[in-house]
Amino acid sequence: ITKARLRTGSIEEAVEEAMNRIRGAYSLVIMSPQKLIAARDPEGFRPLCMGKTADGAVVFASESCALDSVGAAFVREVKPGEIVVVSGEGVRSIETHCGGRGHMCVFEFVYFARPDSIIDGAGVHQARQRAGAYLALEHPVAADVVVGAPDSGLDAALGYAHQSGIPYEMGFIKNRYVGRTFIEPTQQMREDAVRIKLSAIKSVVSGKRVILVDDSIVRGTTCARTVRLLREAGATQVHMRVSSPPFIHPCYFGTDVPSEDKLIACRLNSDVEAIAKEIGVDSLGYLSVEDIRKIAVGCGLDFCVGCFTGEYPAPAPEPQPADKFAEKYEE
């Protein structure tokens, strides 16, 4: 953008020109002395929305829940490829990069976004409940209780329970002072975080057949530890249900799914029984790619499901480091 600004007449023209060269996932908010500019990549991989405060100030955020936090009213989503310019002259839009239907990262609905957000017209909480309901239809099992892995598995667990008729219970207490273990840089750090992150509630799971619902299985080590917590608390059976398909390919567009050799589903050739044995569950069921495309009713975009299918809406970069965050910590 800085280089383009040397050849263009305004900062928004520089952003527009830079977007001709940038490929991949990005949502940008840029300030100049006189303007506030928001831009979303043409595929719309990541969310971006616009709001307005009571005194007329324009606000941009990745999720609508952030607007609520600052007392702003939701106005609309920024379109894939759109540049919105806010200045003393008002708000105007540049749509030279718009036109395609876009490919929102489906993992926003599965894991990343907060449940109280609305993304591109679809409620996150409702999408996750719908994923759980589809799971119950695809992978029914006889059990006594349904529990969710905090926090992103809770909504899907509720959907599974409603659809199956099996009671939903809070099976874990979460330490609120521990961050997300999925994005910890090294395996040891992830395992250490899980040890202090969760505690199983014995009165809920002891002597019972438990359905554990989680949003995903990436490396397999975190969910294996969660399963052990249930076993140690007295669960007689643990049946795991996952509200997304198996990760068999890396993500190049912001999710930081690691290289294929670190993905348990890829390493075990998507053998569900082998994966179930390794993580220590009595049965395992994943949501299908077909059904995950249907969870976000009302979403105006198609989904990127490249980490599940290997088919990406934009070219993957080359070369790609094996595990770029872990390498920094392990050197």
Side-chain angles (χ1 to χ4, degrees):
I1 293 172
T2 301
K3 291 179 179 178
R5 183 66 181 88
L6 300 175
R7 303 187 302 271
T8 56
S10 66
I11 183 66
E12 58 266 35
E13 291 176 36
V15 173
E16 185 179 3
E17 183 175 313
M19 288 174 66
N20 290 323
R21 303 175 58 189
I22 301 171
R23 296 291 181 271
Y26 57 89
S27 288
L28 309 176
V29 178
I30 304 163
M31 291 191 72
S32 74
Q34 302 296 327
K35 298 171 184 174
L36 174 64
I37 299 171
R40 188 177 181 188
D41 75 79
E43 293 293 343
F45 281 108
R46 300 293 154 201
L48 188 62
C49 64
M50 180 170 65
K52 184 172 287 188
T53 63
D55 60 1
V58 177
V59 182
F60 295 100
S62 288
E63 296 183 39
S64 61
C65 64
L67 303 179
D68 300 334
S69 298
V70 297
F74 174 83
V75 174
R76 67 176 180 87
E77 305 284 345
V78 176
K79 300 175 187 176
E82 183 182 10
I83 302 169
V84 181
V85 184
V86 183
S87 67
E89 300 174 356
V91 180
R92 65 186 181 92
S93 176
I94 301 171
E95 299 189 5
T96 53
H97 293 285
C98 297
R101 183 172 171 84
H103 291 84
M104 161 71 69
C105 172
V106 74
F107 218 51
E108 292 286 349
F109 287 99
V110 173
Y111 176 75
F112 282 132
R114 231 170 65 173
D116 54 337
S117 283
I118 306 294
I119 297 180
D120 283 292
V124 175
H125 172 69
Q126 291 80 4
R128 290 176 183 168
Q129 281 197 312
R130 199 170 290 112
Y134 282 134
L135 262 180
L137 294 172
E138 288 187 25
H139 302 287
V141 64
D144 303 304
V145 64
V146 179
V147 303
D151 283 318
S152 49
L154 300 179
D155 296 329
L158 191 59
Y160 192 105
H162 284 168
Q163 181 63 46
S164 66
I166 300 171
Y168 170 85
E169 292 280 358
M170 187 173 70
F172 296 95
I173 293 295
K174 181 181 177 183
N175 182 342
R176 298 292 174 181
Y177 301 99
V178 178
R180 288 178 164 179
T181 55
F182 167 75
I183 55 176
E184 291 286 2
T186 68
Q187 184 57 42
Q188 186 61 51
M189 292 174 70
R190 286 187 289 271
E191 292 182 1
D192 290 344
V194 172
R195 289 189 184 96
I196 61 175
K197 181 178 182 178
L198 294 179
S199 297
I201 303 176
K202 292 183 180 181
S203 61
V204 171
V205 303
S206 181
K208 295 180 181 177
R209 300 167 296 174
V210 178
I211 298 173
L212 170 63
V213 181
D214 205 352
D215 62 90
S216 61
I217 302 176
V218 184
R219 302 166 183 87
T221 51
T222 297
C223 66
R225 172 64 183 171
T226 305
V227 170
R228 285 198 297 274
L229 290 175
L230 291 173
R231 300 280 193 197
E232 293 165 1
T236 58
Q237 296 178 14
V238 179
H239 302 277
M240 188 159 192
R241 297 296 180 263
V242 184
S243 60
S244 63
F247 278 114
I248 56 176
H249 299 282
C251 173
Y252 304 106
F253 305 107
T255 306
D256 194 41
V257 174
S259 57
E260 293 180 352
D261 63 311
K262 293 181 173 62
L263 297 169
I264 188 172
C266 184
R267 179 166 52 82
L268 297 178
N269 298 313
S270 298
D271 185 332
V272 174
E273 291 187 2
I275 298 170
K277 183 178 180 181
E278 182 160 321
I279 64 176
V281 294
D282 295 278
S283 73
L284 173 64
Y286 288 94
L287 189 64
S288 66
V289 174
E290 178 184 10
D291 276 345
I292 202 171
R293 293 181 187 274
K294 299 186 294 186
I295 63 172
V297 173
C299 182
L301 307 182
D302 290 331
F303 285 128
C304 173
V305 292
C307 52
F308 309 133
T309 65
E311 299 174 2
Y312 305 100
E318 293 294 344
Q320 183 68 208
D323 197 339
K324 48 187 173 293
F325 289 113
E327 285 177 355
K328 296 178 182 178
Y329 279 81
E330 293 169 355
E331 287 177 353

